[in-house]
Amino acid sequence: MQKNQQPSKWIIALAVILPTLMEIVDTTIVNVSLPHIRGALSISLDESTWVLTSYMVSNAIIIPITGWLAIKFGRKKYLMFSIFAFTFFSFLCGYAPSFYFLVLSRFVQGIAGGGLQPLSQAILLESFPKEQRGMAMAIFGMGVVVGPILGPVLGGWITDNWGWRWIFFINIPVGILSILLIELFVFDPEYLKKAKEKIESIDYMGLAFLAIAVGALQILLDNAQRKDWFESRFITTLAIISAVGFIMFIYNELKVEHPVVNLKIFKDRNYSLGNLVMFLGFFGFFGTIVLLPLYLQNLMGYTAFLAGLVLGPGALTTLIGMPLTGKLLEKGFDPRKLLLGSLIINAIAINIMAHFNLQADFWNVIYPRALQGFAIALFFVPLAAATFANISNEDMGNASGLFNFIRNIGGSFGTAIVMTILSRRAQFHQSRLVENLTPLNDGFNHTLDVLSLKLHDVMHQYAVIYKELLRQAYMLAFNDSFYFCAILFVVLIPTVFLIKKPSGSLDMSKMH
């Protein structure tokens, strides 16, 4: 196809969403396969987590500098190289003969995949006419929200049926198809070519400070709960390194003439507030995505596949809600009203989850998750519309990279903090419930009498009671953790009233 011929926006959407979905799925697809990887490569539990951490660290470092890289090397070239490298190192991950080979391959795979999300978002916004860009954000949102949910389900099925190496090999045909589509249908806009001429030098100091700060932060978040946070010298050291790295990075970026990340974009109120809402919103969203399968598998006895099926209806309602939300925005509906509705529905859905108990049936668990899925559709698309409403074409790549970076970091914080709350509240409830295991408690005595009819060993009787006590303590801890996530969405409600309504109905003409 010649450059002067305008390809179909839907073909372009397919071309950029395929690799983006592949990259997002890869952030979670490995989770359920870790036991198989540990057995195949003879590694410990702590060592196996580096298969996840190495990918997340390198991925997080690249995302915020994607806009700069796209200008420096050309967006199409950078996008095609990223997909090729991601696909090639996916093959190496599947081939990996040793643990260190796998970790190194995952690290480079994360570097290659880091730019796919912001690049896809920017290309989608350019490909759709301004009156249809709400739909463009809806398409992008489908991959962003559904990908992390699809990952564990797909990973579990592939691992059970084909083996863990195929969770990486499956990327190869997707990557090849994506490269072909992008070569044929995606082209660089003129403003990117002009912007490249303005870059005279590389901001090496900014790159170094960013890599140090983000790398230390991601390792901290991935290990904090297991090492008891700041009780660990390792975690404390990482926190200091990350804090100093971010301070030096911000100072450097505000001083240099051509920064690798333009932080002055945060002067726009909508953009700053939008990123705050995105950070806390995905904090709560990922918190519930982590909690729900744990509750089902550890307390309710669900298999990994059944736990994935519970998440499925939520993904389905998100897929239905995204295009509906896009249509509403096209018709000029105020995105702030949709965002407000999303926060309220999210709070209600998660509050229902906070009332789960040990007798909850399959359908009682599914319907609040499905409700939350629809709320997430109302959250992502209007928020992105309001956040990018005043961003110029030239700043869109930089803004998109930061927006995706903050979203991912919000999810990482949510996972780390919620797991900490779950663990500590379980300890709290366990200590309180143990106080009732005394001969002075009628319920305890009655339970012993009942168990004595079936079990003659007194220690076995106590073991059964203690096992049930642990289940109840964890159930109460899950309730507390869900409450925390629900409150987070309630706290976000006032921020909606601080966001300015985008000029016009939904004039997204600046969202190139």
Side-chain angles (χ1 to χ4, degrees):
M1 176 174 289
Q2 301 298 319
K3 289 188 178 183
N4 58 357
Q5 290 182 281
Q6 186 63 33
S8 166
K9 59 182 181 290
W10 297 109
I11 294 179
I12 295 175
L14 176 64
V16 297
I17 282 298
L18 271 179
T20 301
L21 184 60
M22 175 178 67
E23 189 274 329
I24 294 173
V25 165
D26 257 55
T27 61
T28 57
I29 196 171
V30 178
N31 296 22
V32 295
S33 302
L34 284 182
H36 298 266
I37 295 173
R38 288 203 303 269
L41 301 180
S42 301
I43 55 178
S44 67
L45 178 62
D46 281 344
E47 285 177 325
S48 70
T49 59
W50 281 98
V51 178
L52 306 176
T53 304
S54 58
Y55 182 88
M56 297 298 292
V57 168
S58 59
N59 201 265
I61 292 170
I62 291 297
I63 288 176
I65 63 173
T66 300
W68 181 85
L69 290 171
I71 294 173
K72 181 68 178 175
F73 300 105
R75 191 169 65 189
K76 180 175 179 176
K77 288 181 181 178
Y78 175 48
L79 179 59
M80 291 185 67
F81 174 78
S82 294
I83 298 171
F84 171 79
F86 187 89
T87 305
F88 177 73
F89 281 94
S90 292
F91 167 77
L92 292 185
C93 287
Y95 164 77
S98 69
F99 166 66
Y100 293 107
F101 189 97
L102 176 59
V103 170
L104 179 60
S105 297
R106 280 286 283 174
F107 183 82
V108 183
Q109 187 193 33
I111 291 177
L116 295 179
Q117 295 180 46
L119 286 174
S120 296
Q121 187 176 38
I123 292 171
L124 274 173
L125 290 170
E126 289 181 355
S127 303
F128 282 68
K130 64 180 182 180
E131 66 275 7
Q132 293 182 351
R133 283 175 184 148
M135 187 61 68
M137 292 309 303
I139 294 169
F140 180 74
M142 289 179 191
V144 167
V145 176
V146 175
I149 300 170
L150 182 63
V153 180
L154 184 62
W157 187 86
I158 290 174
T159 301
D160 288 343
N161 289 277
W162 296 347
W164 68 268
R165 295 183 185 276
W166 280 93
I167 64 174
F168 300 111
F169 291 150
I170 199 70
N171 291 333
I172 296 173
V174 179
I176 292 172
L177 176 60
S178 300
I179 290 172
L180 291 174
L181 289 173
I182 288 166
E183 170 62 28
L184 292 172
F185 302 111
V186 175
F187 304 105
D188 284 350
E190 287 299 320
Y191 76 81
L192 274 180
K193 299 174 184 176
K194 295 177 181 178
K196 182 179 180 180
E197 298 171 1
K198 298 179 182 179
I199 298 180
E200 299 174 356
S201 60
I202 297 176
D203 179 17
Y204 289 110
M205 293 298 291
L207 285 170
F209 287 134
L210 180 66
I212 292 169
V214 174
L217 177 62
Q218 192 66 56
I219 295 171
L220 182 158
L221 293 174
D222 287 345
N223 291 274
Q225 165 55 24
R226 290 198 306 275
K227 297 184 180 294
D228 200 21
W229 285 86
F230 297 108
E231 296 299 319
S232 163
R233 181 176 296 179
F234 175 67
I235 295 300
T236 303
T237 303
L238 285 174
I240 294 171
I241 292 172
S242 182
V244 172
F246 274 117
I247 291 170
M248 296 303 296
F249 169 71
I250 292 169
Y251 176 80
N252 181 81
E253 297 307 279
L254 294 176
K255 291 294 183 182
V256 299
E257 185 176 356
H258 299 292
V260 70
V261 178
N262 181 13
L263 299 178
K264 294 178 182 178
I265 199 170
F266 283 104
K267 290 180 179 179
D268 181 80
R269 188 169 88 176
N270 271 25
Y271 185 76
S272 296
L273 285 170
N275 276 280
L276 174 64
V277 176
M278 176 57 75
F279 176 86
L280 294 176
F282 261 66
F283 185 115
F285 172 58
F286 264 78
T288 60
I289 292 299
V290 169
L291 287 171
L292 194 53
L294 287 176
Y295 158 69
L296 294 172
Q297 290 177 262
N298 294 348
L299 295 185
M300 305 301 290
Y302 283 44
T303 64
F305 181 70
L306 282 176
L309 286 182
V310 171
L311 297 177
L316 181 60
T317 54
T318 299
L319 287 173
I320 294 171
M322 286 284 186
L324 290 177
T325 306
K327 282 293 183 183
L328 287 174
L329 292 175
E330 284 181 17
K331 294 182 181 298
F333 204 89
D334 188 343
R336 298 173 304 171
K337 293 180 180 178
L338 293 174
L339 182 58
L340 177 61
S342 166
L343 296 177
I344 293 171
I345 297 171
N346 259 305
I348 292 171
I350 301 172
N351 183 61
I352 295 172
M353 296 178 194
H355 288 83
F356 286 160
N357 56 46
L358 295 172
Q359 288 75 45
D361 63 32
F362 191 75
W363 297 108
N364 284 334
V365 175
I366 280 181
Y367 87 84
R369 175 67 196 109
L371 184 63
Q372 186 196 29
F374 185 76
I376 290 299
L378 292 177
F379 175 84
F380 185 86
V381 182
L383 178 60
T387 302
F388 290 99
N390 304 316
I391 304 300
S392 67
N393 295 353
E394 290 75 15
D395 288 330
M396 184 53 65
N398 177 70
S400 177
L402 281 170
F403 188 67
N404 282 278
F405 168 72
I406 289 172
R407 187 194 74 238
N408 285 3
I409 291 296
S412 296
F413 265 98
T415 301
I417 298 297
V418 164
M419 289 303 296
T420 300
I421 293 172
L422 178 66
S423 175
R424 296 188 178 181
R425 293 302 292 176
Q427 293 171 7
F428 169 80
H429 288 298
Q430 181 181 340
S431 65
R432 289 300 178 90
L433 292 175
V434 163
E435 295 173 0
N436 298 309
L437 300 187
T438 70
L440 301 177
N441 186 286
D442 293 336
F444 175 64
N445 289 326
H446 175 72
T447 303
L448 277 178
D449 291 340
V450 172
L451 288 174
S452 65
L453 299 175
K454 300 178 181 179
L455 304 171
H456 299 295
D457 184 1
V458 175
M459 294 305 295
H460 199 176
Q461 296 170 20
Y462 275 96
V464 171
I465 292 174
Y466 187 65
K467 183 178 180 181
E468 180 60 24
L469 181 144
L470 289 179
R471 288 186 74 229
Q472 294 183 16
Y474 264 99
M475 186 68 258
L476 292 171
F478 274 107
N479 293 150
D480 294 343
S481 302
F482 279 122
Y483 269 127
F484 173 79
C485 294
I487 291 170
L488 201 60
F489 281 99
V490 174
V491 170
L492 277 174
I493 288 174
T495 62
V496 177
F497 300 97
L498 299 176
I499 297 174
K500 293 181 180 179
K501 182 180 180 180
S503 57
S505 53
L506 181 62
D507 186 1
M508 302 173 85
S509 60
K510 294 183 179 181
M511 296 180 61
H512 289 252

